[in-house]
Amino acid sequence: MALSFRICSSPLICRATLSNGDNSRNYHAIDAAFIRRAADLAEMSAGLTSPHPNFGCVIATSSGKVAGEGYLYAQGTKPAEALAVEAAGEFSRGSTAYLNMEPGDCHGDHTAVSALVQAGIDRVVVGIRHPLQHLRGSAIRELRSQGIEVNVIGEDFESKVLEDARKSCLLVNAPLIHRACSRVPFSVLKYAMTLDGKIAASSGHAAWISSKLSRTRVFELRGGSDAVIVGGNTVRQDDPRLTARHGQGHTPTRIVMTQSLDLPEKANLWDVSEVSTIVVTQRGARKSFQKYLASKGVEVVEFDMLNPREVMEYFHLRGYLSILWECGGTLAASAISSSVIHKVVAFVAPKIIGGSKAPSPVGDLGMVEMTQALNLIDVCYEQVGPDMLVSGYLQPIPDLLPVIPSEDATVEIDPSVDPFEPSIIFFYKTWDLYGSFSNFSPHPIRMPCGGENDDYMTWSSVEHYYQANKFVGVENPMAHDCVEKIRTARSPEEAALIGRSTLRQKPELVRNDWEDVKIEVMYKALKCKFSTYPHLKSILLSTVGSVLVEASPHDLFWGGGREGEGLNYLGRLLMQLRSEYLGESSVSAENTSSA
């Protein structure tokens, strides 16, 4: 991967450059080591923070000792910077904070920056700027305005050792960077093959090509991904589970891509008790089987033209950052030809199976000369037990130094791009410009769990409160336990997972009037949030004259749906709340005028 660096026209000179050459190299080595550590910390939450970046922070004293560390556990949880400052305590004052990426707080919220400022941090070293334009540079400007020295690697100083450290920051957030630049999730093609390039015997039997150690690494790869995708052949022949057992705590969504929907009625993937499965297929394919899958809890999404590019663009809209492809050669070739595969991970086992009809990892790409072969870049080799792990990139990680074009600038470059109408404000994930409108935003609220006479409790987000209320008032110890599990869930995603899975698996625990009261529950929680945080109320009032649309392509109740067919109740409630606030302002103005 070719990385280019530039020096700003008015660079901030880091302390290292004020010393002699040896001291400069020493300072750079120290900074590089702590930045790499921040990147390593950030990677600990891979798969849990999506669709947000992986953030890590190291607080180091002037003597070079680590005083505190932290990483973002999941979206909607406490920022890495705040956790690191808490761990460092009084040692934060006068110390240096090392961040793998510029903080990207939810719009209108500055928790990460405030934590560093209030702790008395003297200097901040940033691996890379935030790739999203509406967040890029904001935290850096705010920190500098507070008198904190901020050094950005590749801009304010550079060296070979710092370049390597910056590269580690790019790699740990490669999914976010690719998603921001290309509008498709970061996709990794994984396969295991024999030394003679076969992924199965001629009979189709493939268990097992790679060693147990290699398979454990695969579980880890799954645990760091938002979803795993396979084709219909893999389901029919292997009946996979595609879980992340023995890997990280996160379990990815399973996706099956099939043109004909020619799939078996009994398959491990149809068990959605612990993790969801999505089947993407051609519009109109086997309607009766679609109904059968829906009855099992499997989501089916139809496409007019089913191809990897269309499917990946759809999952980009759903907020997916990273996809692991564990498909056969035919689908792999189609994905590579569609330019949606960014990285390849191949486990090569020291075995020979032979067979002229034994399948290979990648099908026909239409290449007839070796000069047409696709060359991997940034290739790595690692021995895993008896196997050799070879990995590399088909596409370089985009350089972040040029500013990613805004939507308007993109239209100028490509007139075919249809931008959102200015009278409509879309929001979905908490990283969006209006992400604070999301019920998943990290804004705690104090609300009674049940009736108005109940004791007030602190809920980490609106989503925590909403999910818990599904089970309030049910005279069953399991319902009480469920409410407490949701209340103490570490992230809004975990709260939603507990609430949704319990509703699906144990519907008897759900209150009888839930369908009648859920809109009211959400509205009360939203009103509490926007009333608690004045800056959020100001942002909401700034949207007067605009239609608010929750842009979830799959939630047809709270969101606007894939093609505008959704009911958009979350957007409606926010507009209702906005009108209520405007009415209060009018009454207040009239009273003031009368006085």
Side-chain angles (χ1 to χ4, degrees):
M1 176 176 66
L3 293 174
S4 61
F5 296 89
R6 63 176 173 82
I7 296 184
C8 299
S9 56
S10 301
L12 289 174
I13 305 299
C14 68
R15 290 181 293 215
T17 60
L18 301 178
S19 306
N20 59 44
D22 290 339
N23 285 338
S24 175
R25 285 192 291 272
N26 184 49
Y27 277 122
H28 283 192
I30 292 172
D31 284 342
F34 284 131
I35 282 292
R36 283 195 298 270
R37 175 57 184 165
D40 290 342
L41 287 169
E43 196 167 21
M44 294 175 67
S45 61
L48 295 172
T49 57
S50 181
H52 294 261
N54 297 317
F55 282 115
C57 177
V58 177
I59 307 293
T61 64
S62 57
S63 62
K65 294 182 179 179
V66 174
E69 295 181 335
Y71 66 91
L72 182 67
Y73 172 73
Q75 76 153 317
T77 60
K78 189 172 292 188
E81 297 82 359
L83 292 172
V85 163
E86 288 180 2
E90 62 183 17
F91 293 105
S92 296
R93 189 162 301 279
S95 294
T96 298
Y98 293 89
L99 318 178
N100 66 297
M101 179 183 283
E102 173 187 12
D105 288 334
C106 181
H107 186 61
D109 183 52
H110 306 283
T111 306
V113 170
S114 296
L116 297 174
V117 173
Q118 293 172 9
I121 293 295
D122 183 55
R123 175 176 177 243
V124 175
V125 180
V126 178
I128 58 175
R129 288 177 180 259
H130 203 293
L132 300 183
Q133 190 183 28
H134 68 279
L135 295 174
R136 184 171 187 176
S138 297
I140 291 173
R141 286 191 298 272
E142 179 63 23
L143 288 167
R144 285 173 173 165
S145 73
Q146 296 293 326
I148 297 177
E149 178 185 359
V150 182
N151 300 136
V152 182
I153 296 179
E155 297 180 24
D156 301 323
F157 52 10
E158 56 182 314
S159 68
K160 179 63 171 67
V161 68
L162 287 172
E163 179 181 332
D164 292 340
R166 180 176 184 269
K167 189 174 180 179
S168 67
C169 297
L170 289 169
L171 292 175
V172 76
N173 274 304
L176 174 74
I177 296 168
H178 273 285
R179 186 183 193 278
C181 295
S182 61
R183 295 185 177 274
V184 293
F186 180 73
S187 288
V188 177
L189 173 63
K190 187 279 309 177
Y191 55 82
M193 70 177 188
T194 60
L195 200 57
D196 56 337
K198 309 298 183 182
I199 60 173
S202 299
S203 64
H205 186 263
W208 296 102
I209 290 176
S210 58
S211 66
K212 186 175 181 180
L213 283 174
S214 292
R215 297 197 296 276
T216 299
R217 290 292 292 274
V218 172
F219 297 144
E220 294 173 359
L221 282 172
R222 291 176 185 168
S225 305
D226 292 341
V228 180
I229 188 168
V230 296
N233 281 336
T234 301
V235 177
R236 287 187 291 268
Q237 294 179 11
D238 300 341
D239 191 19
R241 296 184 183 275
L242 302 181
T243 59
R245 58 190 185 278
H246 310 311
Q248 300 181 29
H250 168 69
T251 302
T253 300
R254 290 89 56 91
I255 301 172
V256 180
M257 186 172 172
T258 168
Q259 194 90 22
S260 63
L261 207 61
D262 181 18
L263 301 172
E265 287 194 5
K266 292 184 178 180
N268 288 318
L269 294 182
W270 309 158
D271 179 3
V272 295
S273 58
E274 295 184 1
V275 60
S276 61
T277 298
I278 302 173
V279 174
V280 294
T281 188
Q282 190 76 27
R283 191 173 300 281
R286 294 189 67 191
K287 286 292 188 180
S288 60
F289 192 68
Q290 287 191 36
K291 292 181 179 179
Y292 169 76
L293 290 177
S295 70
K296 304 286 286 184
V298 175
E299 181 182 353
V300 180
V301 181
E302 296 181 290
F303 288 81
D304 292 327
M305 292 293 293
L306 185 70
N307 59 67
R309 169 64 60 172
E310 293 284 338
V311 171
M312 288 300 97
E313 288 178 353
Y314 168 75
F315 282 104
H316 162 83
L317 291 176
R318 287 187 68 153
Y320 285 54
L321 276 185
S322 57
I323 306 286
L324 182 64
W325 294 68
E326 296 194 48
C327 53
T330 302
L331 184 52
S334 179
I336 291 174
S337 298
S338 298
S339 298
V340 299
I341 299 297
H342 302 96
K343 184 178 181 180
V344 177
V345 175
F347 294 88
V348 183
K351 301 176 181 179
I352 294 177
I353 190 67
S356 60
K357 295 184 180 180
S360 63
V362 181
D364 186 11
L365 291 173
M367 299 178 182
V368 295
E369 296 182 359
M370 193 56 66
T371 54
Q372 296 176 291
L374 301 174
N375 292 311
L376 299 183
I377 53 180
D378 274 348
V379 180
C380 294
Y381 305 89
E382 178 186 353
Q383 186 165 353
V384 182
D387 306 327
M388 181 62 69
L389 172 57
V390 183
S391 63
Y393 292 81
L394 281 173
Q395 303 178 34
I397 299 175
D399 194 349
L400 285 180
L401 290 178
V403 175
I404 298 172
S406 65
E407 215 156 50
D408 292 339
T410 304
V411 174
E412 293 178 7
I413 298 169
D414 182 4
S416 66
V417 175
D418 182 20
F420 293 145
E421 297 178 22
S423 60
I424 301 177
I425 291 177
F426 292 88
F427 66 95
Y428 181 25
K429 297 299 183 179
T430 59
W431 69 351
D432 294 333
L433 180 57
Y434 290 91
S436 55
F437 291 177
S438 169
N439 43 308
F440 282 69
S441 73
H443 296 95
I445 59 175
R446 282 187 60 79
M447 295 277 288
C449 186
E452 297 296 332
N453 296 325
D454 284 5
D455 292 336
Y456 277 70
M457 306 171 70
T458 298
W459 303 87
S460 299
S461 70
V462 168
E463 185 66 12
H464 282 78
Y465 178 80
Y466 173 79
Q467 292 294 339
N469 266 269
K470 292 178 179 178
F471 313 101
V472 166
V474 178
E475 294 301 324
N476 187 311
M478 295 179 66
H480 300 163
D481 291 344
C482 187
V483 170
E484 184 60 20
K485 286 180 181 178
I486 291 172
R487 190 185 68 81
T488 58
R490 294 182 62 181
S491 72
E493 282 76 16
E494 289 185 8
L497 179 62
I498 295 170
R500 293 167 183 167
S501 60
T502 304
L503 182 147
R504 185 171 60 248
Q505 298 171 25
K506 299 177 181 178
E508 68 275 9
L509 299 182
V510 180
R511 54 194 287 185
N512 294 329
D513 62 346
W514 177 241
E515 290 300 320
D516 297 325
V517 302
K518 65 180 183 181
I519 293 177
E520 181 184 359
V521 168
M522 180 67 79
Y523 186 72
K524 287 181 177 179
L526 290 171
K527 185 174 182 179
C528 179
K529 182 176 85 169
F530 283 89
S531 299
T532 302
Y533 301 93
H535 66 283
L536 297 187
K537 182 178 178 180
S538 297
I539 295 172
L540 181 62
L541 290 174
S542 72
T543 66
V544 171
S546 297
V547 176
L548 304 181
V549 177
E550 204 274 4
S552 170
H554 63 96
D555 189 336
L556 301 185
F557 185 83
W558 294 111
R562 183 178 170 191
E563 298 175 352
E565 73 277 26
L567 297 175
N568 187 37
Y569 266 106
L570 190 59
R572 293 187 191 188
L573 292 183
L574 288 172
M575 288 185 284
Q576 178 182 335
L577 182 59
R578 183 179 65 190
S579 296
E580 185 176 329
Y581 285 144
L582 288 172
E584 293 174 357
S585 299
S586 298
V587 171
S588 176
E590 289 177 4
N591 292 337
T592 302
S593 177
S594 299

